[in-house]
């Protein structure tokens, strides 16, 4: 794994809650432990629910930024994600 | 019916008082004739009864056409009355939207700031930050709810009131989810409450203001200085009767509902996977409990429960007309989707709560399966 490549992006723009979190969780299932994932979301609930999901699943929030109505939420997956 | 927050079923004694007052108190209480004076007597009697329960003088109790109007008026009139002393309004982030919006309006006029104070994961205000904010120079007023109506967590009103008193800042306590359910105490300078929440009719709010709190009207001149046009006399009388009934039966209702909420908290957490039961499990309102299910669409859940005969509320964005989820859940950092909120009406039966708890795991599983989230 290269350290400087941008994390894979899950595009959940236009999806309403809880769809962005579900899309992110599906991507996380096949991603390597310790890797980073970014979800793009326009639903305002996602910026609250992605950190809450990460906490419940043992992942870490890396960043949370908004750009022109689109939230970019990046998480680092835990080493041993909770089943 | 498990959704009595802000609109509880009307208590039978309140209904009887309302019907009686339609005959006895229909007249305009501002008129000087016998019918008008009779309506005035009933209205003043209602204020006196409410004052007795909240521990205020009758002349310090004003009745509002809604709880929202009471909160708006409280914030705006106190901020205006103290505009020479301070311009800022201190608001914890979990205050009711009516308080936050009124604070925005007040500081737009005063040129001050709305000072937001964060809460912890249980929804309780950060006491040190709150005390610091209240004691800062230039504060017109501070607000702190008695307890949060969405998650039930009680707030440290006594400690904050002591700090506010030291700073000479009036404290507005929103008891809209507390009065009639629990002792609201005397740690307040301005108190707001909601008759619809304690089993009275909708359309009556209470605003009690301690002597010495300076306030100035923000509405156009009217005989009813704080709430132009006044309120419905039958509704006021019914609200007062309901409060007396609720207050008299409070201890029994508190014990019964507190035990039911404990049962809900324990069974939901144990029987539904990936659930967050939020709010303080102990230092809380007796009748309010809320929880969120990961990966669940709140609207689908509320609709499915309604089809089975269970009325519940939700703080999820998907269940509201706005796209924003509950600002309370967001401020606490807990899941906002898949949220269910219960506010048990007085007299809720244990078997009804058990029936709800029996069907809930299956309903959540069905909504999750429809969303294709198995194995996530």
């Amino acid at each position: 794994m290269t350290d400087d490549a941008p994390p894979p992006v899950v595009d959940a723009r236009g999806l309403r809650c809880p769809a962005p979190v579900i899309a992110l969780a599906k991507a996380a299932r096949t991603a390597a432990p310790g890797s980073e994932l970014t979800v793009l979301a326009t639903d305002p609930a996602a910026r609250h629910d992605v950190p809450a999901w990460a906490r419940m699943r043992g992942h870490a929030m890396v960043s949370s930024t908004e750009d022109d109505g689109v939230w970019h939420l990046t998480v680092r997956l835990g080493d041993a994600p909770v089943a | 019916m498990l959704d009595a927050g802000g609109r509880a079923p009307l208590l039978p004694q309140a209904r009887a008082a309302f019907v009686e007052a339609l005959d006895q108190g229909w007249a305009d209480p501002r008129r000087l004739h016998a019918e008008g004076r009779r309506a005035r007597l009933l209205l003043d009697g209602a204020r006196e009864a409410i004052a007795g329960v909240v521990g205020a003088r009758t002349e310090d109790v004003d009745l509002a056409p809604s709880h929202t109007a009471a909160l708006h008026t409280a914030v705006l009139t106190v901020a205006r009355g103290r505009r020479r002393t301070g311009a800022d309004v201190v608001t914890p982030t979990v205050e009711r939207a009516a308080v936050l919006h009124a604070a925005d309006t007040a500081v737009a006029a005063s040129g001050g700031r709305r000072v937001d104070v964060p809460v912890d994961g249980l929804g309780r205000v950060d006491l040190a930050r709150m005390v610091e904010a209240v004691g800062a120079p230039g504060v017109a007023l501070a607000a702190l709810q008695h307890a949060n109506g969405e998650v039930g967590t009680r707030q440290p009103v006594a400690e904050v009131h002591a700090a506010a008193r030291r700073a000479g800042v009036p404290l507005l306590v929103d008891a809209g989810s507390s009065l009639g359910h629990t002792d609201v105490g005397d740690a307040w300078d301005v108190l707001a409450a909601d008759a619809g929440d304690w089993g009275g009719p909708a359309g009556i709010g209470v605003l009690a203001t301690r002597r010495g709190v300076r306030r100035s009207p923000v509405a156009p001149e009217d005989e009813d200085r704080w709430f132009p046009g006044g309120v419905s006399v039958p509704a006021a009388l019914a609200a007062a009767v309901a409060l007396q009934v609720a207050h008299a039966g409070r201890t029994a209702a508190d014990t019964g509902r507190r035990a039911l909420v404990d049962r809900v908290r324990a069974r939901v957490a144990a029987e539904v996977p990936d659930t967050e039961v939020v709010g303080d499990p102990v230092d809380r309102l007796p009748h309010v409990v809320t929880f969120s299910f990961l990966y669940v669409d709140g609207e689908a859940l509320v609709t499915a429960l309604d089809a089975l005969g269970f009325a519940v509320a939700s703080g999820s964005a998907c269940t509201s007309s706005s796209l924003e989820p509950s600002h309370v859940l967001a401020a606490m950092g807990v899941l906002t989707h898949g949220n269910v909120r219960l506010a048990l009406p007085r007299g809720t039966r244990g078997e009804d709560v058990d029936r709800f708890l029996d069907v809930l795991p299956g309903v959540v599983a069905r909504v999750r399966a429809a969303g294709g989230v198995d194995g996530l």
Side-chain angles (χ1 to χ4, degrees), chain B:
Chain B
M1 162 50 67
L2 304 172
D3 176 24
R7 288 284 191 282
L10 190 64
L11 290 173
Q13 298 92 332
R15 188 181 189 285
F18 191 93
V19 171
E20 171 80 13
L22 287 174
D23 290 332
Q24 301 295 320
W26 54 269
D28 184 344
R30 305 171 181 214
R31 297 289 202 275
L32 297 178
H33 46 59
E35 289 80 1
R37 291 201 306 275
R38 196 161 62 215
R40 167 60 60 188
L41 273 177
L42 292 176
L43 184 58
D44 287 344
R47 288 171 65 208
E48 184 178 358
I50 292 169
V53 171
V54 302
R57 304 183 312 165
T58 303
E59 58 265 41
D60 296 339
V61 171
D62 299 305
L63 298 182
S66 69
H67 183 50
T68 299
L71 291 170
H72 286 175
T73 298
V75 172
L76 295 175
T77 61
V78 174
R80 182 166 161 75
R82 283 178 45 83
R83 65 191 180 280
R84 290 189 186 83
T85 311
D88 295 347
V89 180
V90 176
T91 53
T93 50
V94 296
E95 290 298 303
R96 220 176 278 260
V99 172
L100 300 175
H101 292 154
D104 287 339
T105 302
V107 299
S110 70
R113 296 176 308 137
R114 188 182 99 188
V115 180
D116 288 347
V117 182
V119 298
D120 64 15
L122 297 176
R124 183 166 290 118
V125 71
D126 182 324
L127 181 57
R129 298 271 292 272
M130 186 70 186
V131 167
E132 185 189 344
V134 166
V139 176
L141 85 149
L144 179 62
Q145 60 201 193
H146 181 268
N148 188 277
E150 290 190 33
V151 303
T153 299
R154 292 171 61 115
Q155 302 291 352
V157 285
E159 293 89 338
V160 171
H161 186 244
R165 176 166 288 184
R166 283 196 298 277
V169 169
L171 180 69
L172 163 64
V173 171
D174 173 10
S177 301
S178 299
L179 189 62
H181 303 287
T182 189
D183 184 5
V184 300
D186 59 359
W188 51 269
D189 300 300
V190 184
L191 185 82
D194 184 1
D197 191 80
W198 70 61
I204 293 289
V206 172
L207 185 60
T209 310
R210 296 276 192 220
R211 186 162 41 172
V213 175
R214 183 171 298 162
R215 51 181 180 153
S216 300
V218 291
E221 176 84 21
D222 189 81
E223 265 184 71
D224 289 292
R225 195 173 178 208
W226 306 108
F227 298 101
V231 296
S232 151
V233 172
L237 193 72
V241 167
L243 183 57
Q244 289 182 317
V245 170
H247 187 68
R250 204 184 63 204
T251 308
D254 180 329
T255 308
R257 292 186 295 173
R258 189 168 288 278
L260 290 177
V261 166
D262 282 338
R263 195 187 301 175
V264 171
R265 294 187 71 99
R267 282 193 58 187
V268 169
E271 297 174 20
V272 187
D274 288 330
T275 300
E276 280 202 307
V277 182
V278 303
D280 194 306
V282 178
D283 192 9
R284 59 169 169 81
L285 288 171
H287 61 303
V288 172
V289 58
T290 188
F291 35 86
S292 297
F293 303 112
L294 188 61
Y295 306 137
V296 166
D297 176 348
E299 182 179 5
L301 186 56
V302 169
T303 305
L305 288 169
D306 183 54
L308 293 171
F310 298 103
V312 303
S314 173
S316 297
C318 352
T319 64
S320 72
S321 50
S322 78
L323 284 172
E324 289 288 338
S326 154
H327 71 283
V328 173
L329 300 176
M332 293 165 63
V334 298
L335 275 187
T336 72
H337 68 245
N339 179 254
V340 168
R341 183 168 72 236
L342 309 184
L344 305 180
R346 214 170 260 91
T348 299
R349 298 179 309 171
E351 56 261 43
D352 291 334
V353 170
D354 284 336
R355 279 200 306 123
F356 170 74
L357 293 171
D358 290 343
V359 305
L360 188 62
V363 173
V364 172
R366 279 201 297 281
V367 174
R368 279 181 173 153
V373 301
D374 289 342
L376 290 185

